[in-house]
Amino acid sequence: MRQDVMPAVKSFILEKFLPGEDPQLLTPTTELMRSGILDSLATLELVTFLEQRFGIELEAHELGGKLNSLAEIERLVQAKLPTA
Amino acid sequence: MATESRVTTLNAPSRPIGLRLEGVLRFALLLAGLGLALLVIQQFHLENRTFFYVAALAAGGFAVHALLPLAYRLPFFVALSVTGFALAFSLADAAWLIGIGLVLIALCHLPIRFSLRVALIVIVGTLLAFARVRAIATPIGGAVWPILGSIFMFRLVLYLHALKHGEVEPNVARTLAYFFMLPNVSFALFPVVDYSTFRRNYYDQDAWSIYETGLSWIVRGLFQLLLYRLVYLNFALESSEVQRLGDLVQYVVTTFLLYLRVSGQFHLVVGLLCLFGFRLPETHHLYFLSSSFTDFWRRINIYWKDFMMKLVYYPSFFSLRRRGNRRAIVLATAAVFAVTWVLHSYQWFWLRGGFPITTPDVLFWGILGAFMIFTSLSESDRGRTRVTARRSWNVRLGLRTVAMFCTLAILWSLWSAESIVEWMWMWRAGTIASASEIAILIGLVFVGIALAGWPWGAPNLRSGDRIPLYQNQTLRTFVTLSFLVLISLPAVREMAPQSLRDLVTSLQNPGLSSADAALRVRGYYEQMDQRGALNGQALWQEMGQKPSTWTELATDNMLETHNDFLVTSLKPSYSFVWNGKLTSTNSWGMRDREYSLQKSPDTYRIAILGPSLTMGNGVNDSEVFDNVLEERLARERIPSGKRVEVLNFGVNGYALPQQVALLEQRVFAFRPDVVVITESPYFREGISRYLQRLLWDGNPIPYPELKAILEKGGLYPMDTTGVAIPFASLRRLASVAGIDSRMTWHESRARIQAASQEIARWSTRRMSAEIRAHGAVPVLLAIAPADPLPRYSDRWIGEFGTDAGLIPFNLLHLYDGQDLSAFRVAPWDNHPNALGHRMIADALYKELRLHAADLGIDVGNDQL
């Protein structure tokens, strides 16, 4: 069951971590971890959001390099969502 | 991986570059930049010689690699790396290193259960650890272990983690490239490279951009290594040099700045890897500008942070979060710092062969961890405001950053200290300050706030914005390289004022700082502490070259120990070959030829006392400077009409108070005409080392004046029984509680250091008076090992020479402007070699002639 993941994640990140930033500047390929937007605590907050919003369960080893951009997050979440 | 190969094919310049003009131009610029970088490494003697060869191999390899079709690049990189290992080690050692590595990699891929594979690797690792400390005999050379350790101690864990989670692709070349990376050949201190990132980021962007980023990081690394050297050689202090507030601030700040070496090396490593398509992330990011503890953790050693997040923090958090997020954050953070502390020691085990667990180490990681927990909880509750590039100057950011820099620098100084007592003792100097010192410090804080208030290096979401010219990566790379090459040229340096010229010249000196030279004099290099391990790497590197057959002078060969004030002396009539040099004593226990006690009327006698520099450690009997001088004076018939005898009373490790005793017990019996007392700028270290032993052994002190100085310093009488408790006030409290206590070893050392100036003054004045009372002329010979001179190296000569009534012979600047390695016994031994001794003899000869009238030497008609 595919859901529109990216807009929800984008607005979450903008609201929580980048208040006041121009939404157009946060693109699907913006590096979230390398740029410091997502640090360890923010990653945990994002994980909680993804799990609650999309009803999925993430594992610790998936956090290392799979949340570095909106595109990667979408790919990870879509892979976890149950297929229709 | 299908996705990866698609990206790779799209971005990598797999077509011959000759077909594209832009590619040719960028390729040419990269080669020119690498050429300049090699010139900088060569001109400034950066790191070690192996690094230059590796850098040259990498530059040449890059030229070929970039032109190869994509499919050949990984195997070519592996071949280049193996060539690097073969060049840096002997063939046998290279074979051992690669062989052990292949076995470890093969174990990871055995077709058995994962847990069994891990168990097998742990068993092999344990066996290797026993071999590392030579509990198991192997023919493996000592130089192999640090590199083997740096390759496998963490990367193997990450590789296994990737294997477990199905992130390892069946690609032999990639696996070999991951473990046997070319830069590993010359850097044992290596960033923890994540396998998944290493694989995922390989040519994942435009190849030329990756190469250009690599070159810019190499240049950044070189620049940081030069900044490190500037601080290390010119501004870093030893704790005993801290006398007032200004010194204290200088010590604390420079100790923190010395980390530049680590970040410089990491930039070089990652920059070199980028040249071969591995687009690895930045390893450090403006860590001196951290504005909180969590910010610092994110900016310094980013690879380590990611390693801990991946293997400790996230797994701990996930397993604990059912009990609540706050508790999980606290416990996961605590686990990260506990594991970091243990792994830090584990890392030094493989690099140095020891497992250092010191109180400053425990305190440093404990305090940092506690602050991290507190800041994490605060950020978790209130959120963190991200500083992005669109923000302008902000006083709050400036204040926070300066406050954090000061806090971290203080913590770092604690970590670098040999002991807590010594560290706390140093802070007493903070109460001694002049108004100008305080004004300068306040000024520096304001400058710091003004600079740190800008959002340096903050993430810029406007990636499409036009980059200002001054931020252009290629332009900055070439401007920096050209600047460094220019200042390395003597003709350019000549145009600068002397002080600036000296600073720039020091950048080309790969030697030891005065602090590390003092450490070497103190004999601590065999048991290097945190500071030695992290900061004093020049010393560490030199010591790493020392062969295991190299020995120190000890009681089982030439030294005798006594329960008296002298503590040690040389065995009489003893001869042995010491580190390849004939080392003998006469029947009087002097390292010299035989002399009769009686002096004939036609003999002019010069007696020289001193430490190992006088005794001639590291050269043959005939090469010691007193013999060279004696031969020359005899040849030239100086003094006229007399037979000259130069008697060497030097004994390894002799401090000034020992020279007092030796003079009175043995030297005067030979009725010398001139007595030369030898000392170096490291007299404090000598006195400290000697008195520590004397006091702790409880040997008698026959000099009431010296006893009074020690008593004033709380050192005499020394109670050596009971529980070790630092600080007199705490010991008094313990005494009230009925506990028998004593001073700690570190406190006694700090107290001796504080009293050393007065002890040196007493020693020289007493010797001067005694020598004159015996009708001889006293001389102070100021001499130093073949190391860069410490700051203020000449200051003590006035106080202990002229003021004490001794004629000063200042030979401290004997090696000025020359390659010090030409005058040293070995890279790991800074005693003068035969050439150095000849220079000392020549300089002494000139001093004798210069002071002929004062010394009563008749030089005939041949006056200077």
Side-chain angles (χ1 to χ4, degrees):
Chain A
M1 184 174 64
R2 292 187 67 80
Q3 292 190 32
D4 220 356
V5 176
M6 198 175 296
V9 177
K10 181 174 175 174
S11 68
F12 174 79
I13 289 174
L14 282 168
E15 186 188 329
K16 288 288 289 184
F17 311 128
L18 295 169
E21 281 292 343
D22 181 353
Q24 290 191 345
L25 296 177
L26 185 60
T27 67
T29 54
T30 302
E31 294 202 358
L32 300 173
M33 285 183 159
R34 284 191 183 188
S35 65
I37 295 167
L38 277 191
D39 54 35
S40 56
L41 287 172
T43 304
L44 296 178
E45 280 189 66
L46 177 65
V47 166
T48 307
F49 166 77
L50 294 175
E51 289 184 338
Q52 288 175 353
R53 175 76 169 75
F54 300 105
I56 57 171
E57 197 164 317
L58 294 170
E59 291 178 57
H61 73 89
E62 292 170 321
L63 273 53
K66 295 181 180 172
L67 302 176
N68 195 36
S69 67
L70 290 174
E72 283 181 14
I73 295 169
E74 173 160 49
R75 205 156 39 237
L76 177 68
V77 173
Q78 294 291 6
K80 293 257 171 189
L81 287 171
T83 47
Chain B
M1 302 280 282
T3 311
E4 184 190 348
S5 52
R6 182 180 58 80
V7 171
T8 304
T9 313
L10 282 175
N11 292 311
S14 50
R15 283 187 298 160
I17 62 159
L19 298 177
R20 291 183 295 186
L21 184 62
E22 188 200 347
V24 173
L25 186 65
R26 292 172 87 172
F27 186 52
L29 276 174
L30 280 161
L31 290 180
L34 286 172
L36 283 173
L38 280 175
L39 198 57
V40 169
I41 297 167
Q42 166 78 10
Q43 287 288 88
F44 289 95
H45 313 289
L46 282 172
E47 297 300 297
N48 45 42
R49 199 66 197 155
T50 311
F51 171 59
F52 177 77
Y53 294 135
V54 168
L57 186 67
F62 164 75
V64 178
H65 180 273
L67 300 175
L68 287 175
L70 187 62
Y72 295 106
R73 287 187 198 155
L74 262 181
F76 179 81
F77 176 73
V78 174
L80 199 68
S81 301
V82 171
T83 308
F85 281 94
L87 283 176
F89 297 95
S90 68
L91 275 180
D93 279 347
W96 272 110
L97 198 151
I98 292 167
I100 293 171
L102 291 176
V103 169
L104 288 167
I105 295 168
L107 290 176
C108 295
H109 290 278
L110 281 181
I112 53 175
R113 260 189 15 230
F114 182 77
S115 54
L116 283 177
R117 280 181 269 164
V118 173
L120 275 175
I121 288 168
V122 170
I123 291 168
V124 173
T126 309
L127 289 173
L128 288 171
F130 279 113
R132 172 75 181 96
V133 293
R134 305 203 179 280
I136 297 175
T138 64
I140 304 170
V144 171
W145 294 110
I147 303 297
L148 186 75
S150 83
I151 292 176
F152 289 99
M153 62 185 162
F154 298 127
R155 265 182 261 163
L156 204 55
V157 178
L158 286 162
Y159 189 71
L160 284 168
H161 184 274
L163 261 178
K164 187 181 175 189
H165 298 292
E167 294 171 5
V168 174
E169 59 173 1
N171 184 329
V172 175
R174 192 183 307 285
T175 298
L176 294 178
Y178 175 64
F179 285 106
F180 299 110
M181 296 175 186
L182 178 64
N184 244 135
V185 176
S186 53
F187 294 110
L189 205 62
F190 206 81
V192 180
V193 181
D194 181 58
Y195 176 81
S196 306
T197 311
F198 181 80
R199 178 185 61 78
R200 198 171 47 239
N201 291 17
Y202 184 61
Y203 280 120
D204 69 337
Q205 286 185 2
D206 167 61
W208 298 115
S209 298
I210 299 174
Y211 300 154
E212 283 155 2
T213 301
L215 177 62
S216 77
W217 284 354
I218 288 170
V219 173
R220 205 190 286 178
L222 295 177
F223 194 74
Q224 290 187 10
L225 287 179
L226 286 170
L227 278 180
Y228 159 82
R229 191 176 278 176
L230 186 76
V231 174
Y232 175 70
L233 288 179
N234 298 286
F235 303 106
L237 294 178
E238 221 264 325
S239 60
S240 64
E241 292 179 275
V242 176
Q243 305 291 333
R244 42 191 312 119
L245 179 66
D247 298 336
L248 182 65
V249 172
Q250 187 178 340
Y251 175 85
V252 167
V253 171
T254 54
T255 304
F256 191 27
L257 293 182
L258 290 178
Y259 185 77
L260 279 166
R261 174 153 189 160
V262 177
S263 63
Q265 286 186 344
F266 281 22
H267 273 93
L268 286 177
V269 168
V270 176
L272 285 172
L273 290 172
C274 281
L275 292 180
F276 296 93
F278 304 104
R279 192 185 69 89
L280 295 170
E282 202 177 15
T283 64
H284 292 75
H285 183 69
L286 300 172
Y287 47 93
F288 290 134
L289 294 175
S290 307
S291 57
S292 70
F293 282 99
T294 43
D295 192 31
F296 179 64
W297 177 246
R298 288 176 202 117
R299 289 168 179 258
I300 194 164
N301 202 347
I302 294 165
Y303 287 21
W304 183 265
K305 184 260 296 174
D306 290 344
F307 177 60
M308 283 292 103
M309 291 292 113
K310 187 172 197 170
L311 294 178
V312 181
Y313 188 81
Y314 292 138
S316 306
F317 181 87
F318 271 69
S319 64
L320 293 163
R321 65 176 169 166
R322 285 198 184 88
R323 298 182 188 179
N325 277 6
R326 282 178 69 83
R327 181 181 289 191
I329 287 173
V330 170
L331 293 174
T333 310
V336 164
F337 280 85
V339 172
T340 296
W341 166 53
V342 173
L343 290 186
H344 180 259
S345 290
Y346 163 77
Q347 179 177 14
W348 290 117
F349 169 80
W350 286 107
L351 298 185
R352 299 269 315 141
F355 206 85
I357 292 181
T358 63
T359 317
D361 207 23
V362 176
L363 268 179
F364 174 77
W365 291 112
I367 293 172
L368 200 59
F371 275 124
M372 278 290 292
I373 290 170
F374 177 77
T375 321
S376 297
L377 286 177
S378 166
E379 284 185 8
S380 167
D381 292 342
R382 292 184 296 175
R384 175 171 72 96
T385 310
R386 266 89 183 144
V387 177
T388 55
R390 74 189 173 91
R391 285 182 62 168
S392 54
W393 187 85
N394 174 316
V395 69
R396 200 176 139 82
L397 177 66
L399 279 168
R400 280 171 60 104
T401 305
V402 168
M404 188 46 52
F405 180 87
C406 295
T407 311
L408 289 167
I410 291 169
L411 264 180
W412 212 266
S413 73
L414 168 69
W415 192 29
S416 307
E418 282 171 28
S419 73
I420 301 298
V421 174
E422 186 175 292
W423 184 76
M424 290 176 76
W425 195 267
M426 196 178 60
W427 285 85
R428 300 189 327 161
T431 56
I432 307 165
S434 64
S436 62
E437 264 176 300
I438 293 171
I440 290 171
L441 288 178
I442 292 172
L444 284 175
V445 168
F446 275 108
V447 170
I449 293 170
L451 290 173
W454 292 102
W456 302 101
N460 185 5
L461 297 181
R462 297 171 187 274
S463 55
D465 284 3
R466 197 172 154 206
I467 297 169
L469 187 65
Y470 71 90
Q471 281 187 3
N472 181 282
Q473 186 173 268
T474 309
L475 183 71
R476 286 207 297 200
T477 298
F478 276 89
V479 167
T480 310
L481 284 171
S482 307
F483 169 73
L484 293 177
V485 170
L486 273 178
I487 63 168
S488 75
L489 303 173
V492 175
R493 278 207 309 272
E494 289 303 314
M495 290 188 272
Q498 184 64 43
S499 54
L500 189 62
R501 207 185 308 165
D502 290 345
L503 272 185
V504 176
T505 305
S506 75
L507 294 179
Q508 289 179 299
N509 180 359
L512 295 182
S513 71
S514 55
D516 272 346
L519 267 182
R520 186 210 290 274
V521 171
R522 217 188 284 165
Y524 276 15
Y525 50 80
E526 293 298 341
Q527 41 187 359
M528 295 291 279
D529 59 351
Q530 301 304 332
R531 183 194 179 115
L534 261 181
N535 300 330
Q537 294 214 352
L539 182 55
W540 179 47
Q541 235 161 40
E542 286 177 4
M543 291 309 146
Q545 299 174 48
K546 189 164 88 167
S548 56
T549 50
W550 195 267
T551 59
E552 303 298 320
L553 202 64
T555 47
D556 59 354
N557 40 57
M558 201 176 219
L559 281 181
E560 279 181 337
T561 52
H562 315 278
N563 296 323
D564 61 12
F565 191 75
L566 279 180
V567 181
T568 58
S569 63
L570 299 182
K571 286 179 189 168
S573 305
Y574 192 88
S575 185
F576 80 125
V577 176
W578 182 26
N579 296 327
K581 305 291 177 186
L582 181 65
T583 308
S584 319
T585 56
N586 62 18
S587 59
W588 304 104
M590 296 153 55
R591 190 180 180 198
D592 215 330
R593 66 182 175 86
E594 204 59 59
Y595 294 100
S596 68
L597 185 63
Q598 300 303 318
K599 186 177 84 168
S600 64
D602 65 339
T603 299
Y604 186 88
R605 270 187 176 166
I606 302 171
I608 307 180
L609 291 78
S612 54
L613 291 166
T614 308
M615 186 185 133
N617 287 24
V619 293
N620 284 306
D621 291 336
S622 60
E623 294 165 338
V624 184
F625 71 85
D626 69 292
N627 287 324
V628 181
L629 177 68
E630 190 180 71
E631 275 175 26
R632 182 168 182 187
L633 290 171
R635 200 169 54 241
E636 299 185 13
R637 301 179 188 283
I638 296 174
S640 181
K642 292 221 171 186
R643 197 159 60 91
V644 69
E645 289 179 351
V646 184
L647 282 61
N648 188 336
F649 286 92
V651 181
N652 186 59
Y654 256 31
L656 282 171
Q658 285 167 295
Q659 295 189 43
V660 173
L662 187 76
L663 179 71
E664 296 174 10
Q665 290 176 23
R666 301 189 188 179
V667 178
F668 286 140
F670 288 85
R671 295 174 52 224
D673 298 285
V674 173
V675 176
V676 180
I677 296 157
T678 313
E679 195 42 277
S680 78
Y682 309 110
F683 64 91
R684 285 191 189 84
E685 304 306 325
I687 289 174
S688 172
R689 186 179 50 191
Y690 159 66
L691 281 178
Q692 277 280 81
R693 184 163 176 192
L694 181 85
L695 292 167
W696 283 82
D697 286 355
N699 292 8
I701 299 173
Y703 304 103
E705 304 93 332
L706 179 59
K707 271 186 195 170
I709 296 170
L710 294 172
E711 209 172 328
K712 195 171 71 179
L715 288 155
Y716 191 86
M718 170 77 81
D719 192 354
T720 56
T721 58
V723 183
I725 296 178
F727 304 114
S729 50
L730 293 179
R731 283 194 292 279
R732 276 196 293 275
L733 274 177
S735 164
V736 171
I739 300 168
D740 181 21
S741 65
R742 65 169 172 85
M743 191 182 293
T744 64
W745 193 86
H746 285 293
E747 183 181 338
S748 69
R749 201 175 78 81
R751 284 176 181 271
I752 294 171
Q753 287 266 340
S756 59
Q757 188 93 358
E758 201 175 347
I759 294 167
R761 193 182 306 126
W762 167 79
S763 304
T764 48
R765 281 167 197 255
R766 181 176 176 104
M767 282 193 278
S768 174
E770 287 287 320
I771 293 165
R772 288 197 187 276
H774 282 80
V777 182
V779 168
L780 175 69
L781 171 60
I783 199 168
D787 270 333
L789 286 172
R791 276 172 306 280
Y792 322 127
S793 59
D794 299 44
R795 269 193 193 169
W796 57 283
I797 298 173
E799 186 178 0
F800 305 143
T802 321
D803 294 356
L806 296 134
I807 300 171
F809 287 2
N810 185 352
L811 306 194
L812 292 179
H813 301 278
L814 208 57
Y815 315 114
D816 276 5
Q818 304 194 66
D819 178 11
L820 289 169
S821 63
F823 303 100
R824 300 173 71 159
V825 166
W828 54 88
D829 189 332
N830 59 359
H831 288 96
N833 58 15
L835 177 61
H837 274 268
R838 281 204 296 279
M839 288 201 35
I840 295 169
D842 288 348
L844 258 179
Y845 172 82
K846 284 180 189 158
E847 291 287 343
L848 288 174
R849 293 193 63 135
L850 194 65
H851 296 91
D854 294 330
L855 301 170
I857 296 176
D858 179 4
V859 291
N861 297 325
D862 187 23
Q863 297 284 354
L864 281 176

